[in-house]
Amino acid sequence: FEEVGQFNDGGMAVSVLVINDRAYVCEFDHGLEILDISNPAHILKLGQIDDTEQSRGIEVIGDIAYVSCNTNGLKLFNVVDPSQPVYLGQYGDRDGDPHQFLAVGDIGYLTEWHGGLDIVNMSDPLKPKRLSQYKDSGLAFSVDIVGSNAFVTEYRAGLKILDISDSKNPVL
């Protein structure tokens, strides 16, 4: 393998989402950074979103970035101009510290440390509303959706597979 590029400003990068020539990097120390990766040998920092420290996960739908911040919640930003992200609001129905947010159509899935898995109605992306929650004694970390199943990883509980065919009543 050959390394063809690197961006490092000293933070702890924990996750990345790449869309076309942009990389959205969640840094635990510095928050969300938006990078131009069109030339991997010369990566440019386009912007950074304040008040997203301890960011762990990112999802971008259209021009809206959903940033999962460990202690600050799930925050929403308009990133049409990556040099000037605009705060739009946040998802407030959480019970724990958000880790990962994943959207499939109009439904969002948010894993929470101490809070389980929230299933969120995203039909109005500026006003996400909880449809339901799967909560047990585990500490949810990540999620992937395949068909009508949610694959949820939990600290010390491994992998759990939930039937989410009825989004208002997820079943283990």
Side-chain angles (χ1 to χ4, degrees), residues 25-162:
V25 179
C26 292
E27 288 213 357
F28 197 75
D29 304 313
H30 301 291
L32 183 71
E33 296 179 326
I34 305 171
L35 308 175
D36 177 340
I37 57 170
S38 59
N39 181 349
H42 300 287
I43 298 171
L44 301 174
K45 184 176 181 178
L46 299 174
Q48 183 167 343
I49 299 179
D50 293 331
D51 199 29
T52 57
E53 292 79 14
Q54 298 188 18
S55 63
R56 295 194 181 248
I58 175 70
E59 177 77 291
V60 177
I61 303 167
D63 295 328
I64 300 175
Y66 298 83
V67 185
S68 304
C69 302
N70 190 35
T71 57
N72 294 323
L74 179 66
K75 295 190 168 191
L76 291 67
F77 297 88
N78 183 309
V79 291
V80 69
D81 178 356
S83 67
Q84 298 291 322
V86 176
Y87 176 75
L88 299 173
Q90 71 183 59
Y91 172 66
D93 292 332
R94 62 190 183 88
D95 290 335
D97 301 330
H99 276 261
Q100 182 187 2
F101 179 75
L102 176 67
V104 178
D106 286 345
I107 305 293
Y109 302 88
L110 177 66
T111 58
E112 299 175 304
W113 200 255
H114 301 292
L117 177 70
D118 278 9
I119 300 178
V120 183
N121 181 335
M122 300 297 301
S123 59
D124 181 350
L126 299 181
K127 295 180 182 176
K129 300 280 185 208
R130 180 188 287 165
L131 289 172
S132 62
Q133 180 182 44
Y134 177 82
K135 188 173 180 178
D136 60 6
S137 61
L139 304 170
F141 193 76
S142 67
V143 62
D144 198 7
I145 307 299
V146 178
S148 61
N149 290 320
F151 295 80
V152 181
T153 60
E154 289 188 348
Y155 178 68
R156 296 191 180 182
L159 174 68
K160 293 189 176 181
I161 302 173
L162 305 177

